[in-house]
Amino acid sequence: MSRKKLIAANWKLNPSSREEAIDLIENIKIGLKNIDVEENINLTFCLPFIYLELIKNSLKDTPFKIGAQNCYFEEKGAFTGEISALMLKNLGIDYVILGHSERRSLFNESSEIINKKISVALKNNLLPILCVGETLKEKEMGITEEIILSQLEESLAYINCNGENVIIAYEPVWAIGTGKTCSSEDANTICKLIRSKLADLYNSSIAEKTLILYGGSVKSSTIKEQMKQTDIDGALVGGASLIADEFVQLVNNC
Ligand code: 13P
């Protein structure tokens, strides 16, 4: 089964000004001009809320899509500081990252909360990128598989995945922003495990259709090997997506 690859850039809390954001996206656009990106892969930029509209305008003549990095699980009301899936949809946003390990660990988001967010994202026709991954401690304790399976099961409870409406990203926490990439083979083993869990939770045709990304210190120098793996369908890229030349090279190497 051939699944079209997806590269999702996660800018996290960067950059610090509109000018820098425009500069970055314009340089990426120039770099990608001569590559037939759309033919081979889909590309999405997951941005701080404040830049969504700005960058959406910059990308209006391109096939590239826009994503948010979070949303709240209520659609409206007295929830100071939150942004709803409905607001994102009304802005024309396509993707939303949910359950990123930084949200789980720094903002105490449980799989139960993430589950509610996935549900409201789907209701608003956003494509959630659900992140799962083990910490270094969990890896050292030998419970990686257990952690991944329970994060999947809890985050996807009562969610009707059809193979196209939810994307999964395997991001081992110890490999995020550390320069330590999980070996492509090990990453593939976990992506395979995720696919077999999806087959259990839904069915094998849905599992085969679902995009499963790898994230954690992905660079232009690692992507080729990662993309060769049977069950890795793309990447969620943090640091390397903030350097235009490096990101262009990374996409080129896909
Ligand atoms: P880095 O690519 O900087 O390790 O970040 C990975 C990540 O968390 C993407 O969501």
Side-chain angles (χ1 to χ4, degrees):
M1 157 117 216
S2 92
R3 294 174 290 265
K4 190 166 174 185
K5 303 264 190 259
L6 171 69
I7 302 292
N10 178 6
W11 284 11
K12 306 192 181 183
L13 189 60
N14 301 290
S16 309
S17 70
R18 287 165 64 88
E19 290 70 24
E20 286 168 275
I22 287 286
D23 225 48
L24 177 56
I25 205 71
E26 289 302 324
N27 285 328
I28 291 173
K29 256 166 69 180
I30 293 167
L32 293 177
K33 211 166 53 196
N34 298 321
I35 309 173
D36 195 353
V37 177
E38 202 182 9
E39 175 78 8
N40 306 305
I41 53 173
N42 286 321
L43 201 54
T44 183
F45 294 89
C46 300
L47 313 165
F49 292 126
I50 200 162
Y51 301 138
L52 288 172
E53 198 160 18
L54 180 75
I55 303 296
K56 189 173 160 47
N57 286 336
S58 304
L59 293 180
K60 64 175 179 297
D61 306 324
T62 74
F64 312 145
K65 306 279 194 228
I66 303 280
Q69 299 168 10
N70 185 26
C71 70
Y72 195 50
F73 54 76
E74 296 289 349
E75 285 188 344
K76 58 182 174 177
F79 304 103
T80 303
E82 294 295 337
I83 302 279
S84 73
L86 179 60
M87 289 172 183
L88 295 175
K89 190 60 210 168
N90 287 337
L91 205 61
I93 303 309
D94 304 289
Y95 294 82
V96 60
I97 298 175
L98 293 174
H100 192 281
S101 64
E102 287 149 18
R103 302 259 5 135
R104 290 179 191 263
S105 65
L106 305 173
F107 300 94
N108 290 326
E109 282 191 20
S110 62
S111 286
E112 199 184 338
I113 288 177
I114 293 155
N115 174 254
K116 287 196 207 174
K117 292 185 172 191
I118 295 176
S119 173
V120 75
L122 290 177
K123 186 176 161 215
N124 288 286
N125 294 318
L126 295 170
L127 241 171
I129 302 176
L130 163 64
C131 302
V132 294
E134 81 285 7
T135 61
L136 184 59
K137 191 164 167 222
E138 290 160 346
K139 177 180 156 65
E140 285 170 352
M141 283 166 71
I143 55 169
T144 296
E145 301 198 352
E146 215 175 303
I147 294 295
I148 303 297
L149 294 179
S150 71
Q151 285 178 349
L152 272 179
E153 203 162 304
E154 291 165 15
S155 308
L156 292 176
Y158 310 107
I159 301 292
N160 241 329
C161 286
N162 64 17
E164 290 170 354
N165 59 351
V166 175
I167 294 165
I168 313 287
Y170 169 52
E171 294 207 311
V173 181
W174 50 271
I176 295 178
T178 58
K180 284 186 202 158
T181 322
C182 177
S183 80
S184 302
E185 292 73 22
D186 288 351
N188 197 46
T189 302
I190 301 296
C191 291
K192 258 196 185 135
L193 174 81
I194 293 172
R195 207 176 296 288
S196 75
K197 182 67 181 174
L198 293 174
D200 283 351
L201 292 173
Y202 303 99
N203 62 47
S204 57
S205 134
I206 288 175
E208 280 305 307
K209 279 198 260 174
T210 302
L211 286 183
I212 303 177
L213 315 181
Y214 167 76
S217 298
V218 174
K219 301 184 208 63
S220 61
S221 55
T222 64
I223 191 83
K224 268 192 196 158
E225 209 44 48
Q226 287 154 341
M227 290 301 100
K228 276 192 214 151
Q229 306 300 317
T230 53
D231 286 81
I232 302 180
D233 306 317
L236 186 52
V237 185
S241 72
L242 296 171
I243 307 161
D245 290 350
E246 166 62 6
F247 188 65
V248 169
Q249 190 59 47
L250 188 155
V251 174
N252 219 347
N253 288 350
C254 291

